[in-house]
Amino acid sequence: MKLYDAHNHLQDDRFAARQMELLADCAEVGVVRAVVNGACEGDWPQVRALARAHPIVLPSFGYHPWYLQERTADWHATLTGLLQETGGAVGEIGLDRWKPGLPYENQEAVFLAQLRLAAKWNRPASIHCLQAWGRLQELMQENPRPTCGWVLHSFGGSKEMIPGLARLGAYFSFPGYFLHERKHRQREVFKHVPRDRLLIETDSPDQLLPPELNRFPLAGLDGKPLNHPANLVVIYQELAGFLGIEPQLLAAQVEQNFLRLFAGCRG
Ligand SMILES: [Zn+2]
C-alpha cells in the first residue's frame, strides 16, 4: 500500500535532528509522500531543507494562528519567495478562537493574505480551524480560493457542515488522535465525508495515538512522548476498519484524492 500523510510537522525541533531516521521508518511502512507544514518564519527554512533532502517531503509554508506575534515586517515577502522557489503548498494557516489567551485580532487578515497566495498560484492550503467554523465558511465563500481545493486538517466540525464546505472545495483530513475512545463523535463524522474528499494525517509530532495503537513509540530529549510519522500506517488500518472498507481500497481512494489535490505542487 502507498500511504500519503496529508499533514505533519516533521521540521519540529522536538525531533532533535532525527528526521532522516524517521523518514527511513516512514518509507519502510509505505509512506510515499508527506506534506510537511511550516508554522512560522522560524521553521520555514527547515521545511525547505527537508524537502531538498528527501523525496517523501512535500513542503508547505504558512503562518499558524498561534505564532502570529512572531511575524516580522518581511513575513509576507519571505512566504511569497518560498512559495515561488519551492512550488510548495500553503499552510499551516487558520483561525483559532479556542486557545485561551490567543488574540483573535489580525488572525483573519493574515489568514486571508495567505489564502490569496494559495488562490493566485492554485496551491492547496492546509487549514487549522478551532471554534471558528461559521466565520471560516463565510470567509471561504467570500474570497478567492485555490480551485484545486484545500484541506481541513484534523477536521473536528459537525457532519452538517460537510456538504457546504465540500462545495467550496474542502478536503477533510483524519488524524490518529481521533482513534481515542473519547473521540467517538469526531470519528463518526468521518462516515459522512464524501469518499473523494477524504485524507489521512499524523500531525506528527503532535496528536498521539492511543497507547495500545502506538506502533512506533518515540520521545523527545525531555522524555515527553512524540507521535512518530510512521504511525500513519496504523491510522490507515484503523480508519479502514471503522469505515468498514478494505485498507487497500481506502489507500487507493486516499491516493487518488491526495494526487488530485496536490497535483499543482512541485518540490
Ligand atoms: Zn498541524
Side-chain angles (χ1 to χ4, degrees):
M1 285 192 332
K2 287 196 216 163
L3 310 179
Y4 295 82
D5 190 345
H7 185 103
N8 74 28
H9 300 279
L10 199 63
Q11 81 283 4
D12 197 292
D13 284 341
R14 286 173 284 171
F15 286 127
R18 293 170 64 186
Q19 277 86 353
M20 288 303 126
E21 191 190 314
L22 302 178
L23 282 163
D25 295 338
C26 284
E28 204 152 308
V29 299
V31 181
V32 292
R33 213 74 164 111
V35 184
V36 175
N37 285 257
C40 60
E41 283 163 281
D43 71 7
W44 294 343
Q46 283 109 287
V47 172
R48 177 175 52 182
L50 281 170
R52 283 181 180 161
H54 206 292
I56 284 181
V57 175
L58 194 162
S60 188
F61 304 93
Y63 243 110
H64 187 293
W66 292 2
Y67 307 112
L68 297 190
Q69 70 281 5
E70 296 173 18
R71 252 149 58 242
T72 71
D74 297 329
W75 78 270
H76 191 270
T78 306
L79 179 59
T80 305
L82 276 168
L83 290 170
Q84 272 174 323
E85 176 202 319
T86 65
V90 175
E92 179 170 352
I93 66 175
L95 301 175
D96 192 321
R97 281 174 166 150
W98 163 81
K99 193 178 170 66
L102 187 73
Y104 188 76
E105 72 261 19
N106 297 326
Q107 284 193 35
E108 290 189 7
V110 175
F111 173 79
L112 288 174
Q114 299 181 94
L115 185 66
R116 270 193 290 278
L117 292 175
K120 179 173 159 198
W121 288 312
N122 199 22
R123 311 268 178 86
S126 200
I127 298 178
H128 160 115
C129 183
L130 288 175
Q131 291 184 6
W133 289 107
R135 195 61 189 133
L136 178 72
Q137 188 157 349
E138 275 171 23
L139 291 177
M140 295 310 286
Q141 229 147 19
E142 293 162 1
N143 290 280
R145 305 177 291 279
T147 52
C148 59
W150 41 282
V151 183
L152 287 166
H153 117 78
S154 292
F155 176 65
S158 69
K159 69 172 194 282
E160 288 77 15
M161 295 170 185
I162 292 173
L165 291 165
R167 268 195 299 278
L168 295 170
Y171 284 68
F172 304 83
S173 178
F174 182 90
Y177 191 66
F178 289 177
L179 298 171
H180 286 267
E181 198 41 53
R182 65 179 184 282
K183 293 285 166 185
H184 178 74
R185 182 194 71 78
Q186 287 88 339
R187 265 197 314 281
E188 280 296 321
V189 164
F190 274 81
K191 290 185 173 161
H192 304 273
V193 168
R195 288 281 160 82
D196 64 351
R197 296 300 181 87
L198 180 61
L199 295 170
I200 300 179
E201 68 175 69
T202 62
D203 203 18
S204 164
D206 296 314
Q207 303 218 48
L208 278 160
L209 277 62
E212 69 277 12
L213 294 177
N214 185 6
R215 195 184 298 174
F216 297 89
L218 182 70
L221 296 175
D222 59 2
K224 290 202 180 123
L226 301 175
N227 184 17
H228 190 306
N231 275 320
L232 185 65
V233 65
V234 182
I235 308 172
Y236 267 74
Q237 277 157 3
E238 294 297 315
L239 182 62
F242 179 70
L243 295 176
I245 55 175
E246 288 299 315
Q248 287 79 1
L249 278 180
L250 177 65
Q253 178 71 67
V254 170
E255 175 172 55
Q256 271 184 26
N257 299 348
F258 185 100
L259 295 178
R260 183 193 320 117
L261 176 60
F262 290 96
C265 292
R266 300 191 313 271

